Amino acid sequence: MLGAIIGDIVGSRWEFNPTNDYHFEWLSKENSFTDDTICTIAVADALLHERDFGDAMHDWCNRYPYPMGGYGGRFAVWVHSSHPVPYNSFGNGAAMRVSPVAHWFNDEQQMLEASAATALPTHNHPEGVKGAQTVALAIFKAMQYNRHCYQEAPKHIDEIINDCVAFSGYDIDMPKSSVQNRFDETCQGTVPVALKIISLSTCFEDAVRLAVSLGADADTLGAIVGSIAEAIWGIPFKMRRDIEAYLPGEMQDVLVAFLRARPASFKPLIDTTYGGDDFSDVSWDALYDIEGKEAYEQQMNEAKAEKENRRMQMLERGKARLTW
């Protein structure tokens, strides 16, 4: 869930001022949360307090009636209506707000049903529902891998993407030229691109940078990609602290409550192999004390070899960008 919020806030500055510069400034005074974050918080709040998803979103959006970037036309009418009803939308708003559901449920079918329920109050078109479910499924699959073994998901990115493609029927083999600098607000125009970006990414920050610098719907694509990337790679602690400074207290309260209810929902990036840095050998001192010098050195060498193998895997994945 936090990954969606980071992607939204990082991308907010570039929503109507698109950039293709991968090395754009990560955060500045020009960044803020948008409707993507508000709706994501609303879904989390609904899960925490067993509220109707539509009621929770209507409540939270009216608390922040004029966020950065505003609300889309029909969604704005829904927000300001005293009797809001679904309007058969297939916009990408259904996909950007769904991430808390993937962290909340342990059963895949229950998770998919709840994902649909988050879309139905507004985006009740089949494409809107499918977009939400596909994003949630990617997060859910990644979390399942990581529950078995910490940072196992990066080894299974292809399987995660393939499962989502099989579920949705999306074609993710689009040429980059067909989506770069094209603002597409639909689920069917955004979610496949998000899956493609994940397939080319090497860590959380890399994924968000690829999404934002595509020059498309920067905040929403960033939110969708960020929500999946968090579940695969994890988020550095400093990045989490930096982004929380952009959130009002009541939103931070929801994040804290959600983390307490579902501790695995925040996946910290402890092993920084996928972030470009590494631990020093000091981190293995405890093994020396417990197992002795020979066992310590063997364990350390095995760990270093595994980390190098991970780096090589991500390097090969990153090379695929050259032909996108």
Side-chain angles (χ1 to χ4, degrees):
M1 172 172 84
L2 185 62
I5 294 171
I6 292 175
D8 172 45
I9 293 175
V10 170
S12 63
R13 178 181 177 185
W14 311 104
E15 181 180 9
F16 301 113
N17 181 31
T19 182
N20 295 137
D21 180 10
Y22 175 87
H23 301 287
F24 62 84
E25 184 179 13
W26 184 252
L27 288 172
S28 72
K29 293 181 180 179
E30 297 179 49
N31 294 82
S32 184
F33 64 87
T34 78
D35 59 324
D36 301 44
T37 290
I38 297 169
C39 291
T40 299
I41 289 290
V43 169
D45 184 54
L47 291 167
L48 284 165
H49 299 103
E50 299 183 352
R51 301 179 66 185
D52 176 81
F53 290 119
D55 290 346
M57 281 188 286
H58 195 254
D59 172 21
W60 277 91
C61 288
N62 276 285
R63 297 187 199 185
Y64 301 92
Y66 305 107
M68 183 176 184
Y71 294 112
R74 287 192 295 170
F75 187 73
V77 173
W78 184 88
V79 168
H80 298 297
S81 172
S82 57
H83 300 287
V85 295
Y87 48 91
N88 201 37
S89 173
F90 48 79
N92 55 22
M96 57 76 165
R97 67 197 189 202
V98 74
S99 57
V101 168
H103 295 278
W104 190 261
F105 294 93
N106 295 321
D107 178 80
E108 183 174 318
Q109 188 56 41
Q110 288 182 327
M111 182 275 298
L112 289 173
E113 291 173 0
S115 298
T118 67
L120 292 175
T122 53
H123 295 60
N124 56 329
H125 188 282
E127 289 291 344
V129 172
K130 184 172 74 173
Q133 289 183 315
T134 302
V135 172
L137 182 64
I139 299 168
F140 185 85
K141 293 285 186 181
M143 294 295 292
Q144 290 298 106
Y145 279 116
N146 285 324
R147 285 191 181 101
H148 296 302
C149 180
Y150 189 77
Q151 286 205 325
E152 183 70 14
K155 302 176 185 178
H156 300 278
I157 294 173
D158 292 337
E159 291 96 322
I160 294 168
I161 299 298
N162 288 341
D163 285 345
C164 292
V165 167
F167 173 82
S168 64
Y170 289 143
D171 179 6
I172 68 167
D173 291 327
M174 76 291 290
K176 185 176 183 180
S177 59
S178 70
V179 293
Q180 188 173 34
N181 300 325
R182 294 177 184 269
F183 198 98
D184 192 325
E185 295 179 312
T186 69
C187 270
Q188 57 269 41
T190 305
V191 178
V193 179
L195 296 178
K196 181 67 175 181
I197 288 172
I198 290 294
S199 77
L200 300 172
S201 301
T202 60
C203 68
F204 176 82
E205 181 176 341
D206 179 54
V208 173
R209 285 190 176 279
L210 285 177
V212 172
S213 64
L214 192 64
D217 189 357
D219 62 322
T220 298
L221 185 58
I224 294 170
V225 167
S227 68
I228 301 171
E230 174 190 13
I232 294 174
W233 288 287
I235 298 173
F237 279 111
K238 183 180 184 305
M239 193 178 292
R240 175 185 175 177
R241 291 195 299 270
D242 289 345
I243 214 69
E244 286 177 346
Y246 287 80
L247 298 176
E250 62 179 350
M251 290 189 184
Q252 294 189 39
D253 290 344
V254 172
L255 284 175
V256 170
F258 197 89
L259 177 59
R260 288 174 179 169
R262 291 293 184 273
S265 64
F266 172 63
K267 181 173 179 289
L269 185 61
I270 296 174
D271 179 347
T272 55
T273 299
Y274 299 117
D277 298 315
D278 207 344
F279 278 146
S280 69
D281 295 346
V282 176
S283 61
W284 295 98
D285 282 354
L287 292 175
Y288 181 92
D289 294 336
I290 296 171
E291 303 289 351
K293 186 175 186 300
E294 184 175 342
Y296 159 72
E297 290 180 346
Q298 179 181 351
Q299 185 71 35
M300 187 171 68
N301 289 336
E302 290 176 356
K304 286 183 176 179
E306 172 63 17
K307 289 181 179 181
E308 184 61 26
N309 181 52
R310 293 178 186 176
R311 285 197 184 91
M312 292 306 297
Q313 288 177 342
M314 293 300 107
L315 177 61
E316 290 302 314
R317 184 172 297 282
K319 286 181 180 178
R321 299 181 202 173
L322 300 177
T323 57
W324 185 36

